[in-house]
Amino acid sequence: MIRVILFDIDGTLVDCRGAGRLAMERAWLEIYGIADAARGMKFGGRTDQFLFSELYRIHKVPVDATRHEQFIAVFIHLLHHYLAQTDGSLLPGVWGLLRRLREEVPGVVLGLLTGNARLAAELKLRCFDLWGFFAVGAFGDDHHCRNRLAEIALDRSERYLGRELEGREVLVVGDTLHDVRCAHSIGASCLAVGTGSVSWDQLREANAERVVRDLTEVKGCDLLGEMSA
Ligand SMILES: [Mg+2]
């Protein structure tokens, strides 16, 4: 039986119309004076910490702790600004699924497993009144590697529940191959959803336990039984 469901954010719950990329590029320009710094970089499924380290590597900028802190502060400030400007949207079926899971299966813990830094995740989800659904989470500033984030999310879920969890009690919901891999790395199953940057066919080839076009195809209680069978 599934006891914990860990959701990715971008492409899975919400579409922020590239607000994160805009904020990161503008913050990099303000702090390091380089325009279009993230051009060509793929953001889907990557952690913020990984993306930051890629920017330092690609542009051969030495990491200075004080300037990095300034960069993060500007990034978060600009993310807030761009989220208000870019007219993002909740993805189909999200609100109904979260509400059904909370109301119909109260024993199941809802959590986050996202590459977004914690503050970025909170800003994005508060835009859509979703932040309050989630009791636990692992975030992009916890580690640069998504598989490690899955371990951290599992550990925090265990502490929240006060007992150890087996991988098969955990379900990861995400929109990229990275989500599928990180789920399997902790023995969890994955519900892959085709509302992000990866095609439905590619997700099917990634061996997710279930692939749906969007979350309107998922009914809360059925999901728990089906995925843990
Ligand atoms: Mg995603």
Side-chain angles (χ1 to χ4, degrees):
M1 178 75 182
I2 299 290
R3 291 300 315 279
V4 176
I5 305 179
L6 300 169
F7 287 85
D8 167 59
I9 293 181
D10 294 294
T12 300
L13 297 176
V14 300
D15 176 1
C16 293
R17 307 267 197 272
R21 177 186 288 270
L22 283 169
M24 204 176 288
E25 288 201 320
R26 180 66 189 270
W28 193 265
L29 174 62
E30 289 201 11
I31 301 297
Y32 296 111
I34 300 169
D36 300 322
R39 184 185 294 169
M41 279 171 55
K42 287 188 175 158
F43 277 46
R46 300 296 191 187
T47 65
D48 279 356
Q49 230 181 82
F50 176 86
L51 295 168
F52 298 154
S53 62
E54 278 293 278
L55 288 173
Y56 284 107
R57 186 185 64 78
I58 291 166
H59 299 290
K60 298 182 173 59
V61 174
V63 181
D64 173 272
T66 305
R67 287 189 90 193
H68 183 68
E69 273 181 31
Q70 291 171 342
F71 165 67
I72 299 296
V74 173
F75 166 62
I76 292 295
H77 174 78
L78 288 169
L79 180 62
H80 195 248
H81 166 78
Y82 283 120
L83 284 170
Q85 301 282 315
T86 48
D87 195 25
S89 60
L90 205 55
L91 288 165
V94 167
W95 183 262
L97 176 62
L98 291 176
R99 195 179 48 74
R100 283 195 303 278
L101 287 170
R102 185 169 66 182
E103 291 175 5
E104 296 170 15
V105 278
V108 169
V109 175
L110 303 184
L112 295 166
L113 173 43
T114 172
N116 283 280
R118 190 185 188 285
L119 259 177
E122 184 171 352
L123 280 177
K124 287 181 179 179
L125 293 185
R126 282 196 187 281
C127 285
F128 303 97
D129 230 4
L130 295 183
W131 181 247
F133 278 102
F134 304 101
V136 294
F139 302 92
D141 40 5
D142 288 320
H143 205 276
H144 64 87
C145 169
R146 202 174 187 101
N147 288 6
R148 275 290 293 139
L149 287 190
E151 292 173 20
I152 292 166
L154 179 62
D155 184 56
R156 288 177 181 164
S157 300
E158 288 177 338
R159 277 194 248 168
Y160 181 82
L161 286 167
R163 70 169 180 87
E164 287 192 8
L165 286 161
E166 293 183 40
R168 62 189 173 82
E169 294 179 284
V170 180
L171 172 66
V172 173
V173 184
D175 70 303
T176 69
L177 310 188
H178 300 287
D179 297 278
V180 182
R181 285 190 206 113
C182 83
H184 292 169
S185 75
I186 57 166
S189 47
C190 184
L191 166 64
V193 55
T195 43
S197 56
V198 181
S199 74
W200 194 72
D201 287 336
Q202 283 177 294
L203 290 172
R204 283 184 64 86
E205 287 168 16
N207 292 324
E209 280 66 23
R210 186 177 172 192
V211 185
V212 294
R213 293 193 188 278
D214 66 46
L215 290 177
T216 60
E217 295 179 34
V218 179
K219 311 296 174 207
C221 291
D222 303 350
L223 174 70
L224 303 180
E226 194 175 323
M227 301 299 294
S228 58

